[in-house]
């Protein structure tokens, strides 16, 4: 795996997540297993302790060692309040108590006085009370006497005791091989003699420790193997999933090196995110190719358009230098004006292509119409205004919108047969400005192409009469920058009708903004 690659990071991340999950699960399993086995050992010890304690109420102190439950291998002891062992299993026989918690209360001194019968002598002769001869001193003939209750509560502690090879408790130093943990349960009871005693019974935790050790060893062995499998599978799956991405990267690198934008990246047949990435990349390349191609055509057309006026102006200057009397001042001025207009158009297009946004000032198209018509002189055809003009306002650059209106009027004057009509209407949340002429009109098939740059439909038209073919292209670009549209259709008069649609400005805007965008108010005049 390459360092820092997506495959390595994905494999490392998946492995880390699985490792954390398995370690947490392992701790939970071990803790649960340990708790269950400890509970089993404790339950076994408590059952043993309660079984012995239940029998103690039927035997005297001297007979404690004969009860059932003290003949097994598990550690069991019966200890009185003074710490004297009354009975125990064989491994503990002859040894002191294995525990000292939950010790039964020590009997009162009167209970251990030799005058048990209270008759004033020390012989302890209570035969006068044991009239029935049953040996219990109560004279009622009941062999068993009153049965003592076993304490319902118990206490448990974990103790470490010496064990032999078989895991049985032993105090023989020769047989002791180590120490082992036991769960020791203490249950209190009374013997038939009324002696408070505590029964200690232990359950070995050796099985628990062995099971936990086995499970832990298995996890320690299996966990690394499982993590290796997870890492390997994740790396292989990620590698297969990212293989198309590597193909896209290589092709994009080759396209960048060759600057051939007609090439495309391979698109996988799947319908996943990688396939969508490839399709989007190809769409981006197609858009970039179209943009570069338009830019090349634009540069070529601009060079061609600039060459003619510059060549004409140079010729006139050279003739004037050789023959001053032949200088055509009017022609030179006309070529200079045409060159200046073309340069201004190219500069405005460059600014629009760079993403220049219009100012948010308020503009009244009706006022723009009146101002433009008042400034235009020498037009070959009269301009008729359809009253009333809608007084709604739009947001944008007054200079750029005035440029749009001027370009549409220039185009209409060139193609009109006798008159040009201007109308401003409002409706549907938009303001519509129409410029119509009564000329030959625009063929339906050409109504979109005329908005392309440097396009002139009339091939017989001279360049002086037809312009450079940038006016309508600039007008549409400005309209779209203002959130509107510019389209062409047939006019009722038989000529062409150009329709500019712009969204109406919100009514809550301030009067200061309205004045800022008004014609002649010192607002944005870009492109004018």
């Amino acid at each position: 795996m390459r360092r820092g690659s997506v495959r390595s990071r994905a494999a490392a991340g998946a492995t880390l997540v699985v490792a954390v999950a398995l370690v947490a699960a392992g701790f939970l399993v071990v803790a649960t297993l340990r708790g269950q086995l400890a509970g089993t050992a404790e339950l076994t010890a408590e059952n043993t302790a309660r079984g012995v304690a239940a029998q103690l109420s039927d035997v005297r102190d001297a007979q404690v060692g004969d009860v059932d439950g003290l003949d097994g291998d598990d550690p069991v002891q019966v200890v009185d309040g003074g710490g004297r062992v009354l009975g125990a299993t064989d491994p503990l026989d002859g040894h002191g108590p294995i525990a000292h918690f939950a010790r039964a209360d020590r009997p009162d001194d009167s209970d251990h006085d030799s005058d048990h019968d209270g008759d004033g002598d020390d012989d302890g002769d209570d035969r006068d009370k044991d009239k029935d001869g049953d040996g219990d001193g109560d004279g009622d003939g009941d062999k068993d006497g009153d049965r003592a209750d076993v304490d319902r509560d118990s206490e448990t502690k974990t103790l470490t005791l010496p064990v032999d090879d078989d895991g049985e408790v032993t105090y023989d130093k020769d047989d002791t091989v180590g120490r082992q943990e036991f769960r020791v349960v203490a249950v209190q009871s009374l013997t038939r003699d009324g002696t408070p005693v505590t029964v200690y019974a232990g359950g070995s935790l050796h099985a628990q420790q062995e099971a936990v050790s086995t499970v832990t060893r298995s996890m320690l062995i299996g966990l690394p193997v499982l993590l290796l499998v997870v890492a390997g599978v994740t790396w292989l799956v990620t590698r297969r999933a990212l293989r198309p991405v590597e193909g896209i990267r290589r092709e994009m690198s080759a396209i960048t090196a060759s600057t051939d934008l007609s090439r495309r990246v391979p698109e996988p047949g799947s319908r996943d995110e990688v396939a969508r990435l490839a399709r989007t990349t190809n769409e981006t390349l197609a858009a970039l190719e179209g943009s570069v191609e338009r830019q090349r055509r634009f540069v070529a057309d601009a060079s061609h358009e600039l060459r003619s006026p510059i060549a004409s102006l140079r010729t006139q200057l050279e003739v004037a230098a050789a023959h001053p009397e032949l200088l055509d001042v009017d022609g030179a001025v006309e070529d200079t004006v045409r060159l200046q207009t073309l340069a201004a158009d190219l500069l405005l297009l460059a600014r629009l292509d760079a993403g220049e946004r219009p100012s948010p000032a308020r503009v009244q198209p009706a006022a723009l119409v009146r101002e433009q018509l008042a400034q235009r002189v020498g037009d070959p055809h009269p301009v008729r205004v359809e009253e009333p003009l809608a007084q709604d306002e739009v947001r944008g650059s007054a200079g750029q919108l005035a440029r749009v209106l001027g370009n549409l009027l220039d185009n209409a004057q060139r193609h009109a047969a006798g008159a040009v009509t201007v109308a401003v209407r409002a409706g549907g949340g938009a303001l519509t400005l129409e410029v119509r002429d009564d000329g030959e009109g625009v063929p339906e098939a050409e109504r979109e192409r005329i908005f392309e740059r440097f396009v002139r439909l009339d091939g017989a038209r001279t360049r002086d009469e037809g312009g450079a073919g940038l006016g309508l292209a600039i007008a549409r670009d400005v309209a779209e920058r203002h959130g509107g549209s510019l389209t062409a259709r047939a006019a009722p008069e038989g000529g062409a009708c150009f329709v500019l649609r712009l969204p109406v400005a919100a009514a809550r805007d301030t009067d200061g903004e309205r004045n800022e965008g008004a014609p002649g108010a010192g607002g944005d005049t870009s492109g004018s």
Side-chain angles (χ1 to χ4, degrees):
M1 293 182 292
R2 291 182 299 176
R3 183 179 181 183
S5 67
V6 176
R7 293 192 296 269
S8 62
R9 292 197 298 269
T15 303
L16 179 61
V17 171
V18 173
V20 171
L22 290 179
V23 169
F27 277 112
L28 181 62
V29 168
V30 170
T32 303
L33 180 62
R34 180 183 286 114
Q36 289 181 346
L37 293 178
T40 301
E42 180 178 339
L43 180 61
T44 301
E46 183 169 357
N47 289 337
T48 302
R50 290 193 177 279
V52 173
Q55 301 176 59
L56 293 179
S57 60
D58 296 332
V59 298
R60 295 184 179 277
D61 293 353
Q63 300 170 334
V64 169
D66 297 332
V67 301
D68 294 338
L70 297 181
D71 54 355
D73 296 327
D74 293 332
V76 181
Q77 278 187 339
V78 180
V79 182
D80 65 6
R84 181 166 58 98
V85 178
L86 302 181
T89 53
D90 290 342
L92 303 179
D93 192 20
H95 298 279
I98 61 174
H100 301 279
F101 66 94
R103 181 71 58 82
D105 296 335
R106 183 187 295 273
D108 295 337
D109 291 340
S110 60
D111 295 337
H112 288 274
D113 194 300
S114 58
D115 188 10
H116 290 289
D117 55 3
D119 58 1
D121 57 16
D122 295 335
D123 59 359
D125 187 2
D126 54 0
R127 285 174 295 178
D128 54 343
K129 293 183 180 181
D130 189 14
K131 297 179 181 180
D132 55 1
D134 60 359
D136 59 1
D138 58 2
D140 60 358
D142 182 4
K143 289 287 184 179
D144 294 333
D146 294 333
R147 181 180 294 273
D149 292 333
V150 177
D151 191 354
R152 295 183 178 180
D153 296 328
S154 62
E155 292 188 29
T156 305
K157 286 189 177 182
T158 301
L159 303 178
T160 304
L161 303 176
V163 295
D164 56 15
D165 290 336
D166 298 330
E168 298 179 359
V169 177
T170 181
Y171 284 92
D172 191 339
K173 295 183 179 181
D174 295 336
D175 295 336
T176 302
V177 296
R179 302 183 69 82
Q180 190 176 111
E181 289 186 345
F182 285 80
R183 293 289 286 177
V184 178
V185 178
V187 178
Q188 294 183 0
S189 183
L190 293 172
T191 64
R192 182 177 178 182
D193 294 332
T195 303
V197 294
T198 302
V199 179
Y200 295 107
S204 176
L205 297 178
H206 179 70
Q208 175 214 49
Q209 295 169 350
E210 285 293 326
V212 171
S213 298
T214 301
V215 172
T216 303
R217 283 194 302 269
S218 300
M219 290 183 176
L220 292 177
I221 295 174
L223 181 61
V225 176
L226 182 58
L227 293 180
L228 287 176
V229 172
V230 170
V233 171
T234 303
W235 189 84
L236 291 175
V237 171
T238 307
R239 177 185 179 185
R240 181 179 179 85
L242 293 179
R243 187 176 299 164
V245 178
E246 179 62 21
I248 295 174
R249 186 202 64 80
R250 285 197 302 266
E251 186 63 24
M252 287 295 295
S253 179
I255 293 173
T256 302
S258 66
T259 66
D260 183 8
L261 295 179
S262 63
R263 300 173 60 174
R264 297 292 182 263
V265 299
E267 294 187 12
S270 59
R271 298 182 179 179
D272 55 9
E273 292 82 355
V274 177
R276 292 195 291 271
L277 172 63
R279 287 192 291 272
T280 303
T281 302
N282 285 334
E283 292 172 359
T284 303
L285 289 173
L288 184 60
E289 181 185 13
S291 176
V292 171
E293 183 60 29
R294 287 192 300 271
Q295 190 71 19
R296 288 174 180 171
R297 289 199 307 267
F298 177 78
V299 172
D301 293 338
S303 301
H304 177 74
E305 295 294 335
L306 288 171
R307 182 176 59 183
S308 297
I310 291 175
S312 176
L313 184 59
R314 177 182 175 180
T315 300
Q316 295 182 52
L317 292 176
E318 289 177 348
V319 171
H323 306 281
E325 70 279 3
L326 299 178
L327 176 61
D328 184 6
V329 176
D330 294 337
V333 171
E334 185 178 348
D335 287 339
T336 303
V337 171
R338 188 173 64 181
L339 186 61
Q340 181 183 9
T341 302
L342 180 58
D345 288 344
L346 294 176
L347 178 61
L348 178 56
L349 285 173
R351 289 163 58 184
L352 293 175
D353 289 341
E356 181 183 44
R357 308 301 300 178
S359 64
R362 297 175 66 98
V363 181
Q364 189 179 71
L368 284 180
V369 169
R370 294 188 179 94
E371 183 177 347
Q372 282 287 316
L373 295 181
Q375 294 175 355
R376 296 180 70 89
V377 293
D379 285 340
H381 306 291
V383 178
R384 184 176 64 88
V385 178
E386 287 189 355
E387 297 289 352
L389 296 177
Q391 301 300 309
D392 297 80
E393 296 176 332
V394 298
R395 277 192 169 277
S397 167
Q400 291 185 4
L401 293 177
R403 181 65 176 272
V404 172
L405 177 59
N407 289 352
L408 295 179
L409 289 172
D410 290 341
N411 181 77
Q413 289 288 341
R414 280 196 298 268
H415 297 284
V420 175
T421 304
V422 178
V424 179
R425 303 183 181 90
L431 200 68
T432 302
L433 187 151
E434 292 183 0
V435 178
R436 306 193 301 268
D437 64 71
D438 57 355
E440 297 180 356
V442 181
E444 186 174 357
E446 303 289 346
R447 289 176 185 172
E448 280 298 316
R449 196 171 76 88
I450 59 175
F451 292 105
E452 297 179 6
R453 298 173 183 181
F454 300 105
V455 171
R456 291 185 296 271
L457 300 184
D458 189 358
R461 180 186 305 149
T462 64
R463 184 170 287 107
D464 291 343
E465 294 175 352
L470 292 177
L472 294 180
I474 291 175
R476 170 167 279 189
D477 284 351
V478 172
E480 292 177 348
R481 292 294 189 280
H482 284 72
S485 63
L486 178 61
T487 57
R489 67 189 184 193
E493 296 85 353
C497 176
F498 289 88
V499 181
L500 172 65
R501 289 179 60 86
L502 297 172
V504 176
R508 63 175 179 272
D509 295 330
T510 63
D511 293 337
E513 292 174 333
R514 180 183 300 108
N515 295 333
E516 179 184 355
D524 184 3
T525 59
S526 58
S528 60

